[in-house]
Amino acid sequence: MSTHELYTIPAELSTWDVEMAGSARFTWEYDDGRDRMLALYQKGKDKQWDSVKRIDWDIEVDPYNVLGVPDNTIAIYGTPLWERMGEKQRQEVRLHGAAWQFSQFLHGEQGAMICSARIVESVPDLDSKFYAATQTMDEARHAETYARFLKEKVGLAYPINEHLKALLDSTLSDSRWDMPYLGMQVLIEGLALAAFGVMRDITTKPLPKQILAYVMQDEARHVAFGRMALRDYYKNLSETERREREDFVIEGCYLMRDRLRGRETWEALDLSKQEVDEAMGHVDESDYMRLFRSLLFSRIVPCVKDIGLWSPRLQQAYADMGVLEMAGQNLEALMKQDEEIADKIDAERFTREEAERHEEVTETIAMAAD
């Protein structure tokens, strides 16, 4: 089955071609490198995994209840629009919401794969090239995983959201080597990591929990990579260069915030234009969605502060978005937690499989004795 058969609304049949500028940089220094970056590179090699083997794809998923979360997480829950819907239409709302969210994860991972390859090409330091090469493989695995989940378990997909597409376009078309770091590692990856974390922590379904936890284990390293590289480089920026990057961050954060509205999901349902507008009003006013949007900046804001882009103008932009308080988040602690949760899921699955094997052996022995 072609992925285009899964899309709710038509997607471009041809490839999306982004014109790129800038140089491919070679370096002839093979021995020197930053210890922390090389340690991250080693960790990137050690932590490679195979989605076919690590994820239990035999687990069934109800496409009308993908995450197993209460309906009060839906922006229109309890509104007159929700009350007018029958159960079948509510099922469609649940299905389309999950399909849209995981589709944007998928498209973001392909974008991350291309940005990582771009970093390998353009970054001047060999240790950064080494790590970015491992990240490119990570992102390929993530895209493979989300594509399989959508195809086999959800059965529905959405094209790339216009706001995510705009940020990827501006990130990849910029000739400066640090912009793929800033656009992808800090903004897109940072928001995705927070979104994965919210969904990982609230889902009651084992398969999406596995997928989100394992992907997050990788993504935490990717954000650390961006912080490490940009923190060193941004110390020496001129005031004009710093302002240009802050402008990029502010614009990118507004694009990421607007991406979360997901108007196309409501337009794909059997709703009138008036009902679509009504749904969007509830999305903007929903207490849950406000909290969700705020939490999604929990990884971006402290990272932006950490790399040295923290002028009063940028802080005001975050205050206007209602996310300035996220600057106090401890990124190291969050990264450690992401590692531990993935390891715990692995350990629980191993224990369960060992118990099942032991039971099978016991039953086989008992049958032989009879």
Side-chain angles (χ1 to χ4, degrees):
M1 177 187 291
S2 165
T3 304
H4 284 273
E5 297 177 53
L6 300 181
Y7 286 128
T8 56
I9 49 182
E12 297 174 9
L13 289 173
S14 60
T15 59
W16 174 41
D17 299 335
V18 179
E19 295 295 328
M20 297 189 192
S23 302
R25 293 177 174 84
F26 286 78
T27 177
W28 310 124
E29 176 54 77
Y30 293 99
D31 295 323
D32 197 17
R34 291 160 287 186
D35 290 342
R36 287 191 67 201
M37 187 68 78
L38 291 174
L40 198 63
Y41 168 55
Q42 184 61 49
K43 193 170 188 178
K45 291 188 292 181
D46 292 341
K47 293 290 186 176
Q48 293 293 319
W49 49 277
D50 185 344
S51 67
V52 174
K53 297 177 181 176
R54 194 182 190 193
I55 294 171
D56 187 358
W57 290 105
D58 290 334
I59 297 174
E60 293 295 326
V61 172
D62 178 358
Y64 296 106
N65 189 19
V66 172
L67 294 175
V69 295
D71 283 340
N72 61 12
T73 60
I74 299 172
I76 67 167
Y77 176 76
T79 67
L81 177 58
W82 177 263
E83 296 303 327
R84 291 198 303 270
M85 290 180 172
E87 183 53 33
K88 185 174 184 347
Q89 199 168 22
R90 290 177 181 178
Q91 283 187 333
E92 291 297 314
V93 169
R94 298 180 192 109
L95 169 62
H96 281 256
W100 182 84
Q101 189 69 269
F102 279 94
S103 294
Q104 302 319 310
F105 291 166
L106 167 60
H107 302 314
E109 296 298 347
Q110 183 183 176
M113 178 176 65
I114 292 171
C115 283
S116 302
R118 178 75 171 140
I119 291 171
V120 173
E121 178 187 43
S122 62
V123 71
D125 308 296
L126 193 66
D127 52 6
S128 294
K129 291 181 185 291
F130 282 167
Y131 180 77
T134 69
Q135 180 175 340
T136 305
M137 184 61 213
D138 288 344
E139 308 297 5
R141 180 171 58 248
H142 300 168
E144 169 203 355
T145 300
Y146 283 128
R148 182 173 179 180
F149 183 72
L150 282 166
K151 180 180 179 180
E152 296 184 5
K153 304 300 182 179
V154 180
L156 195 69
Y158 274 82
I160 187 171
N161 175 267
E162 61 178 337
H163 302 294
L164 175 58
K165 190 174 184 180
L167 183 52
L168 279 171
D169 193 5
S170 58
T171 296
L172 286 166
S173 59
D174 198 296
S175 62
R176 294 166 292 187
W177 67 262
D178 64 296
M179 298 311 283
Y181 279 104
L182 190 56
M184 177 53 67
Q185 311 289 86
V186 176
L187 299 183
I188 298 175
E189 294 271 36
L191 185 135
L193 191 56
F196 297 164
V198 171
M199 294 174 70
R200 176 200 64 191
D201 294 342
I202 67 172
T203 183
T204 59
K205 303 296 184 179
L207 184 57
K209 188 180 230 23
Q210 280 183 24
I211 291 171
L212 292 163
Y214 297 154
V215 169
M216 286 188 72
Q217 194 173 36
D218 294 338
E219 299 291 11
R221 294 195 307 274
H222 303 166
V223 174
F225 171 46
R227 287 170 56 209
M228 207 176 299
L230 294 181
R231 190 191 301 134
D232 294 342
Y233 180 60
Y234 284 178
K235 288 176 184 175
N236 302 312
L237 291 181
S238 68
E239 189 56 39
T240 299
E241 291 171 328
R242 188 180 305 280
R243 187 178 182 86
E244 289 172 348
R245 282 142 180 93
E246 288 183 345
D247 287 342
F248 180 86
V249 167
I250 292 170
E251 181 182 357
C253 284
Y254 276 114
L255 283 171
M256 289 293 92
R257 187 195 65 175
D258 292 342
R259 177 180 82 80
L260 300 170
R261 300 179 77 233
R263 183 181 181 91
E264 57 267 43
T265 61
W266 304 104
E267 292 175 337
L269 295 165
D270 187 21
L271 299 176
S272 67
K273 184 181 182 304
Q274 182 179 346
E275 287 175 323
V276 170
D277 292 339
E278 184 181 346
M280 293 309 300
H282 294 311
V283 168
D284 293 333
E285 296 167 6
S286 163
D287 289 338
Y288 174 81
M289 288 304 296
R290 283 199 186 108
L291 175 61
F292 184 60
R293 281 194 292 267
S294 176
L295 289 173
L296 291 188
F297 283 87
S298 63
R299 309 279 181 137
I300 294 177
V301 177
C303 188
V304 169
K305 181 180 180 181
D306 184 69
I307 62 179
L309 301 180
W310 201 241
S311 69
R313 188 170 62 96
L314 186 56
Q315 292 180 53
Q316 185 59 51
Y318 281 141
D320 293 342
M321 291 182 210
V323 297
L324 182 61
E325 71 277 7
M326 292 297 173
Q329 291 286 332
N330 185 328
L331 289 171
E332 298 297 337
L334 289 171
M335 180 177 171
K336 185 179 181 208
Q337 181 186 61
D338 295 337
E339 292 270 1
E340 290 173 347
I341 289 174
D343 289 340
K344 181 181 178 183
I345 290 175
D346 273 341
E348 289 173 349
R349 182 179 173 189
F350 178 77
T351 301
R352 186 170 62 252
E353 289 174 350
E354 282 293 295
E356 289 171 356
R357 279 194 289 269
H358 179 73
E359 186 177 343
E360 288 175 2
V361 170
T362 302
E363 289 176 356
T364 301
I365 294 172
M367 288 173 62
D370 293 341

